[in-house]
């Protein structure tokens, strides 16, 4: 064996991300935005979805029901919540739907440089918030990577995260080679 490739979530990290930041936009109240976001994420099986639902439930008493839910692997989710078309997902998903996110690039870049995964949320084609999530490294991940490197093994991290977040996590672990934005089917 000359190289070892690790999936990030659940292998190098604990696999239980938490929402560290929520930045609301527009005139929607934070609680209302989080309720919409949590409602559409309830149907998702993605590890980030569970953290987002927990954040939503802690912010509002009742999470509304979602209709016409659909998950798009490696992109995000969408559905109809209280008559609004709610979309939650990554930058590529927002771009494919024509939802403007560019003006928030400095904030997003700052969060990604902190090794946080950024998720966008929109309702009726308007951005209503940005969530940042972080996952804790497994206790012995750094030691294991260093031990393998001493054995002259090439270490590769594979993740669905964006390149900036992936590089920040890889740097923390001492991993030089990263494959980011890898979809589940890849």
């Amino acid at each position: 064996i000359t190289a070892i490739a690790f999936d990030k979530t659940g292998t190098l990290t604990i696999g239980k991300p938490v929402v560290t930041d929520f930045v609301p936009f527009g005139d929607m109240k934070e609680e209302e935005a989080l309720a919409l976001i949590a409602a559409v994420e309830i149907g998702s099986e993605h590890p980030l979805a569970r953290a987002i639902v927990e954040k939503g439930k802690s912010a509002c008493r009742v999470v509304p029901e979602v209709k016409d839910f659909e998950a798009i692997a490696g992109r995000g989710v969408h559905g109809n919540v209280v008559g609004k078309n709610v979309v939650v997902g990554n930058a590529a998903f927002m771009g494919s739907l024509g939802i403007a996110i560019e003006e928030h690039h400095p904030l997003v870049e700052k969060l990604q440089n902190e090794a946080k995964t950024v998720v966008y949320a929109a309702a009726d084609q308007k951005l209503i918030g940005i969530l940042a999530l972080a996952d804790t490294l497994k206790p012995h991940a750094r030691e294991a990577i260093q031990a393998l490197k001493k054995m002259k093994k090439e270490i590769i991290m594979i993740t669905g995260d964006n390149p900036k977040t992936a590089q920040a996590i890889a740097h923390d672990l001492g991993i030089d080679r990263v494959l980011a934005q890898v979809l589940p089917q890849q």
Side-chain angles (χ1 to χ4, degrees):
I1 297 173
T2 58
I4 302 169
F6 291 95
D7 179 43
K8 180 194 65 118
T9 305
T11 304
L12 298 172
T13 63
I14 291 173
K16 293 192 178 187
V18 293
V19 175
T20 58
D21 306 83
F22 176 65
V23 182
F25 299 111
D27 32 346
M28 190 178 291
K29 290 181 183 170
E30 182 173 331
E31 295 79 22
E32 183 184 357
L34 285 169
L36 293 176
I37 295 164
V40 80
E41 286 287 5
I42 280 178
S44 177
E45 295 176 3
H46 196 283
L48 296 179
R50 288 189 290 274
I52 293 169
V53 170
E54 281 183 35
K55 176 72 174 174
K57 284 181 175 179
S58 71
C60 58
R61 280 171 262 148
V62 179
V63 174
E65 188 178 320
V66 64
K67 295 177 180 160
D68 304 321
F69 171 82
E70 185 180 10
I72 293 92
R75 298 269 180 171
V77 294
H78 66 90
N80 189 292
V81 183
V82 294
K84 296 181 186 306
N85 181 29
V86 180
V87 180
V88 182
N90 61 24
F93 192 37
M94 295 295 143
S96 73
L97 298 171
I99 297 168
I101 59 171
E102 296 77 23
E103 71 180 276
H104 304 292
H105 187 71
L107 167 65
V108 170
E109 198 167 77
K110 175 189 169 292
L111 293 167
Q112 290 172 340
N113 287 334
E114 295 170 0
K116 295 175 182 175
T117 300
V118 173
V119 176
Y120 300 87
D124 295 333
Q125 291 295 109
K126 291 182 184 156
L127 200 64
I128 60 170
I130 291 176
L131 299 111
L133 299 97
D135 196 355
T136 307
L137 293 177
K138 282 195 173 175
H140 301 291
R142 197 174 285 115
E143 293 169 38
I145 298 302
Q146 294 312 310
L148 291 166
K149 285 177 87 173
K150 283 181 185 170
M151 291 188 243
K152 306 288 187 218
K153 306 299 180 197
E154 179 185 11
I155 308 300
I156 305 156
M157 183 179 79
I158 303 173
T159 180
D161 270 333
N162 69 80
K164 283 192 176 298
T165 300
Q167 286 295 342
I169 293 165
H171 179 76
D172 279 355
L173 288 166
I175 296 173
D176 301 318
R177 187 163 173 215
V178 177
L179 301 175
Q181 292 181 321
V182 179
L183 298 175
Q185 61 269 28
Q186 295 173 310

